[in-house]
Amino acid sequence: MTASTTSTAPRTGHIGLNVTDLERSLAFYRDVLGYGVIGEGKEEGRRFAFLGDGARPVLTLWQQADAAYSGAHAGLHHLAIETDSIERVKDYESALRAHGVEFAYEGVVPHGEGAASGGIFFHDPDGTRLEIFAPSGAQNEPTPVKSAPTCGFF
């Protein structure tokens, strides 16, 4: 396929995550990150929740894992969630800290040396790597990793 100014590549619709405890993950994604619950299924052996903004699903949680996420296996590296400003990223950081979340780096960091975009890097209750970022506003923050993108190896 050749490069063009108009992309015909498909867009990401929603992300599905396997979780070990649906209630715990719902509390995190709904109460801390603010996703709305669009629908749930809680019959024995088939527990799941659709989360999103309005009627559009963004994230689905499937209670079908018996162990935490492992970055040692091929698959999802991390999930990046975009917000409109660095101030909003900092609001999420405060809420996450109040929830007891540990961060990969201290505070907001740029995606790389000299980058305007940046955010915060942390893990969900099952250890899935997450990032909340803004497209600009991080250019004056210190870069914790000089030789690779900040989001690459946390």
Side-chain angles (χ1 to χ4, degrees):
M1 182 171 270
T2 60
S4 71
T5 56
T6 304
S7 175
T8 58
R11 293 181 307 277
T12 301
H14 67 273
I15 304 295
L17 297 177
N18 284 338
V19 301
T20 58
D21 181 331
L22 183 63
E23 293 305 322
R24 181 181 68 173
S25 292
L26 264 175
F28 180 79
Y29 286 98
R30 179 192 59 220
D31 302 341
V32 181
L33 297 186
Y35 285 106
V37 177
I38 296 171
E40 295 180 69
K42 292 188 176 179
E43 64 264 14
E44 186 61 37
R46 295 192 182 274
R47 300 191 70 204
F48 60 91
F50 296 102
L51 307 175
D53 181 10
R56 185 177 79 84
V58 175
L59 185 65
T60 57
L61 305 174
W62 305 96
Q63 184 174 303
Q64 57 186 5
D66 58 8
Y69 169 85
S70 172
H73 300 286
L76 178 71
H77 179 276
H78 74 283
L79 174 59
I81 304 166
E82 183 176 351
T83 190
D84 59 349
S85 68
I86 287 296
E87 291 73 26
R88 189 70 181 119
V89 172
K90 290 177 181 178
D91 291 343
Y92 279 111
E93 179 186 15
S94 294
L96 290 161
R97 285 194 189 284
H99 192 71
V101 170
E102 293 183 27
F103 292 80
Y105 308 108
E106 191 58 39
V108 172
V109 297
H111 281 128
E113 198 164 7
S117 64
I120 54 176
F121 301 85
F122 56 98
H123 297 84
D124 80 355
D126 280 307
T128 301
R129 296 173 183 147
L130 300 173
E131 165 189 357
I132 298 178
F133 77 97
S136 62
Q139 60 273 8
N140 296 324
E141 304 295 337
T143 306
V145 180
K146 302 288 185 204
S147 61
T150 304
C151 63
F153 298 98
F154 74 98

